[in-house]
Amino acid sequence: MSCRLAAFSLASLLLVQGCASVGPAPGGLDIDTSITARSQGSRVRFIVLHYTVSESPRALDILSRGEVSSHYLVTDDEPPRVYRLVDEDRAAWHAGQSEWQGYTWLNRSSIGIEIVNRGPVGTAPDGTTRWQPYTPSQIRVVKALVRDIADRHGIAPENIVGHSDVAPLRKQDPGPLFPWRELARAGLGRWYDETVAQALRARFESQGLPDAAWVQQQLARLGYAVPRTGVADRETQAVLAAFQMHYRPSRHDGVFDAETAGVLAALVAATGGGGEAAAAGAW
């Protein structure tokens, strides 16, 4: 009798627990949500930053009604306004054909943030491109937004990138005036030891530059999709220009020089651990 009672009580308990955890679901299914798996993580691995090229009204119209979209839009109002245009659990069409750290088509695994900024705005007297600066209030808002997203999804600093990083053959945004160093100093991106970079630059100037195969190898180690041809071809120059725009924006022409080599080696060393000796050892 006691055994039957115990069995009845256990069955009753399981029934109550099951009823408590079953909710309405599509298709009339009863889905039990009482147990949550320990081994899981966010589908979001990357944050990709863009500029809009157009002003706020036009950008908002394109991103909400056109064939492209982003999760967030940060306007250039004072103070800036932040629009969420796509829920974070859905894909936005912002990255297109893209690759980072071996992952491709990053729409599926990234959060896109568009910042209202015209990008190129003409030509300077020296013949170089002039770029529209970002406002301090825009950067404050972007930093707060990026921090919130990165914290909630567990996004690593090296996976906070620009559109130009993940699509260097097609894109230049968010451009050379975006303050990547400032974000990295706030823990929202990757940077390098500048003292090490300067020392390595002097070494490269005195001893000569590594070959194209070395450049391609180091860029690939950082996450860039770069050809491994051993030749400084057009594609490699485009990737190198994207790297320069992010980490050495004062000159981003895709020409491999001692300063770029020093920054590249120092950044690889910072990513893998070690200082100047580790960076030089990779050469």
Side-chain angles (χ1 to χ4, degrees):
M1 180 68 177
S2 58
C3 292
R4 289 197 298 271
L5 179 60
F8 177 77
S9 299
L10 178 59
S12 299
L13 177 60
L14 292 175
L15 180 60
V16 169
Q17 288 179 334
C19 290
S21 60
V22 172
L29 298 175
D30 290 333
I31 299 179
D32 192 322
T33 60
S34 62
I35 301 172
T36 300
R38 175 184 177 185
S39 300
Q40 60 175 295
S42 174
R43 291 176 180 266
V44 178
R45 301 182 63 92
F46 312 101
I47 297 173
V48 182
L49 301 175
H50 310 254
Y51 57 50
T52 60
V53 178
S54 56
E55 303 297 335
S56 290
R58 177 63 176 158
L60 188 58
D61 182 65
I62 292 173
L63 293 171
S64 62
R65 302 175 62 186
E67 298 300 317
V68 296
S69 59
S70 67
H71 294 89
Y72 295 95
L73 172 68
V74 178
T75 73
D76 57 352
D77 301 307
E78 288 294 345
R81 186 169 185 176
V82 180
Y83 289 91
R84 188 177 68 186
L85 305 175
V86 178
D87 287 340
E88 290 184 10
D89 62 352
R90 297 183 64 82
W93 311 128
H94 65 97
Q97 185 175 352
S98 50
E99 182 173 345
W100 188 251
Q101 302 283 6
Y103 289 82
T104 59
W105 293 98
L106 300 187
N107 286 339
R108 299 172 295 188
S109 56
S110 66
I111 297 293
I113 300 175
E114 290 273 0
I115 310 165
V116 172
N117 180 282
R118 291 173 58 197
V121 290
T123 304
D126 64 357
T128 60
T129 302
R130 293 175 56 242
W131 301 80
Q132 180 179 1
Y134 295 88
T135 68
S137 57
Q138 279 183 311
I139 299 306
R140 284 195 297 271
V141 168
V142 169
K143 286 166 64 176
L145 180 59
V146 169
R147 184 181 302 281
D148 175 62
I149 296 169
D151 287 348
R152 286 188 288 103
H153 292 280
I155 297 172
E158 62 269 22
N159 291 333
I160 300 171
V161 293
H163 203 182
S164 56
D165 293 312
V166 303
L169 302 184
R170 303 185 298 113
K171 298 295 181 179
Q172 293 182 297
D173 52 319
L177 296 188
F178 187 79
W180 288 111
R181 183 177 183 271
E182 180 181 340
L183 265 70
R185 293 292 188 246
L188 303 174
R190 177 173 57 187
W191 207 249
Y192 55 92
D193 187 317
E194 295 176 6
T195 301
V196 170
Q198 291 172 0
L200 288 168
R201 173 183 179 175
R203 181 176 298 189
F204 287 125
E205 287 175 338
S206 65
Q207 299 181 12
L209 295 174
D211 61 17
W214 181 90
V215 176
Q216 293 168 343
Q217 180 185 35
Q218 306 315 311
L219 289 170
R221 290 176 66 181
L222 295 176
Y224 288 91
V226 60
R228 304 299 288 272
T229 59
V231 177
D233 48 28
R234 184 186 67 84
E235 291 81 3
T236 300
Q237 291 174 359
V239 177
L240 190 61
F243 170 83
Q244 292 169 330
M245 192 173 289
H246 192 133
Y247 296 104
R248 202 281 303 267
S250 60
R251 179 179 166 188
H252 47 90
D253 54 7
V255 175
F256 186 56
D257 56 13
E259 183 180 5
T260 302
V263 172
L264 180 56
L267 188 59
V268 169
T271 300
E276 180 182 348
W283 179 28

